[in-house]
């Protein structure tokens, strides 16, 4: 007699199409065939996974339309059966899948749209942390400022796109006709969960993206200011860095300042 673990493993193999060996362990009750009874579970499994993708990728679904989205979901489920105990992470491989499959990879904006939605999920689910006001920075002696490093809220994410996927996402979210997909040479975005616990995002200029990237990597304030010399004169770099810092504090993405 097979063990419970063996039965569970064979059941998963049946649901994912790996094997039909489970049928031999199911009692025939006569009224409904073993095959039909097992298919009820298999169909329910596929429907639930498809619903999880629809929930996580509402805007992608609107962009593709019902028929194409259903085809995509079915193919994805067949190629990436769930290995997680939570449906929250089931679609993690979806952007890569869309990049690899010929039906979709001719339109790179589709995979970027899926990736943007997954980043928004990460932002929403990130852990909470107390935020600090700009006055905290003002209390640090000026001579210590070059050595300051910053700790950012766990929901803080940077997103880089090569297409106007975010503009498409916003249009569909607002129930407007989405713009035509075009290349975006300045697709730099900041994503975070605000003080009101709502996910937010805004586009960044290249200089702010660069200085914020350094900050997230733990570089000192002096290094962050120095990076701005690629875009600004020395007398302007300090002013711009303070302006950006003020904005980040206002948005609530800084949770600590550290002086080494």
């Amino acid at each position: 007699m097979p063990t419970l673990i063996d039965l569970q493993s064979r059941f998963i193999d049946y649901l994912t199409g790996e094997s039909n060996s489970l049928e031999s362990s199911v009692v025939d009750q006569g009224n409904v065939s073993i095959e039909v009874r097992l298919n009820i579970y298999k169909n329910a499994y596929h429907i639930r996974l498809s619903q999880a993708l629809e929930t996580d990728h509402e805007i992608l679904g609107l962009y593709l339309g019902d028929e194409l989205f259903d085809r995509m979901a079915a193919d994805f489920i067949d190629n990436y059966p769930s290995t997680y105990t939570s449906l929250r992470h089931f679609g993690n491989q979806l952007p890569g899948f869309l990049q690899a499959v010929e039906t979709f990879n001719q339109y790179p904006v589709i995979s970027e749209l899926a990736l943007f939605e997954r980043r928004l999920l990460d932002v929403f689910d990130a852990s909470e942390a107390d935020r600090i006001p700009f006055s905290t920075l003002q209390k640090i002696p000026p001579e210590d400022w070059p050595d300051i490093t910053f700790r950012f809220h766990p929901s803080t994410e940077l997103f880089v796109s090569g297409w106007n996927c975010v503009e498409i996402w916003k249009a569909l979210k607002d129930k407007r006709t989405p713009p035509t997909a075009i290349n975006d040479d300045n697709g730099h975005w900041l994503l975070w969960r605000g003080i009101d616990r709502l996910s937010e995002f805004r586009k960044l200029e290249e200089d702010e993206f660069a200085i914020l990237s350094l900050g997230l990597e733990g570089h000192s304030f002096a290094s962050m200011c120095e990076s701005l010399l690629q875009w600004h004169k020395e007398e302007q770099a300090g002013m711009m860095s303070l302006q950006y810092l003020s904005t980040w504090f206002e948005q609530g993405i800084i949770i600590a300042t550290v002086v080494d």
Side-chain angles (χ1 to χ4, degrees), residues 45-71:
Y45 169 81
H46 280 259
I47 289 171
R48 186 65 189 93
L49 292 180
S50 182
Q51 288 174 338
L53 292 177
E54 290 177 18
T55 300
D56 290 349
H57 293 281
E58 176 190 3
I59 304 304
L60 177 64
L62 292 174
Y63 191 64
L64 294 178
D66 291 342
E67 183 177 346
L68 191 54
F69 186 87
D70 289 345
R71 263 179 56 199

Side-chain angles (χ1 to χ4, degrees), residues 123 126 152-158 190-193 212 216 253:
V123 166
F152 291 83
H153 192 272
S155 68
T156 308
E157 293 251 2
L158 291 177
L190 166 64
L191 289 69
W192 78 100
R193 191 174 66 242
L212 183 52
L216 287 165
I253 66 172

Side-chain angles (χ1 to χ4, degrees), residues 199-218:
S199 298
E200 302 185 50
F201 55 88
R202 68 178 177 87
K203 197 165 191 176
L204 304 179
E205 294 298 330
E206 191 175 0
D207 62 338
E208 185 179 4
F209 181 84
I211 187 177
L212 183 52
S213 297
L214 290 174
L216 287 165
E217 292 169 2

Side-chain angles (χ1 to χ4, degrees), residues 51-147:
Q51 288 174 338
L53 292 177
E54 290 177 18
T55 300
D56 290 349
H57 293 281
E58 176 190 3
I59 304 304
L60 177 64
L62 292 174
Y63 191 64
L64 294 178
D66 291 342
E67 183 177 346
L68 191 54
F69 186 87
D70 289 345
R71 263 179 56 199
M72 177 211 73
D75 289 346
F76 180 73
I77 292 168
D78 287 342
N79 285 277
Y80 292 90
S82 179
T83 58
Y84 300 96
T85 56
S86 169
L87 287 174
R88 162 64 180 83
H89 302 289
F90 170 60
N92 282 357
Q93 304 300 321
L94 184 61
F97 170 78
L98 293 171
Q99 282 184 323
V101 176
E102 188 174 345
T103 305
F104 303 102
N105 64 13
Q106 319 170 49
Y107 310 99
V109 69
I110 295 175
S111 62
E112 283 197 358
L113 185 56
L115 182 59
F116 179 67
E117 288 192 299
R118 298 219 67 80
R119 289 291 177 269
L120 287 176
L121 288 171
D122 293 338
V123 166
F124 183 79
D125 289 343
S127 59
E128 191 51 88
D130 292 334
R131 305 150 198 262
I132 60 174
F134 188 68
S135 57
T136 304
L137 183 63
Q138 295 171 314
K139 294 175 183 177
I140 298 175
E143 60 271 20
D144 291 336
W145 278 42
D147 297 322

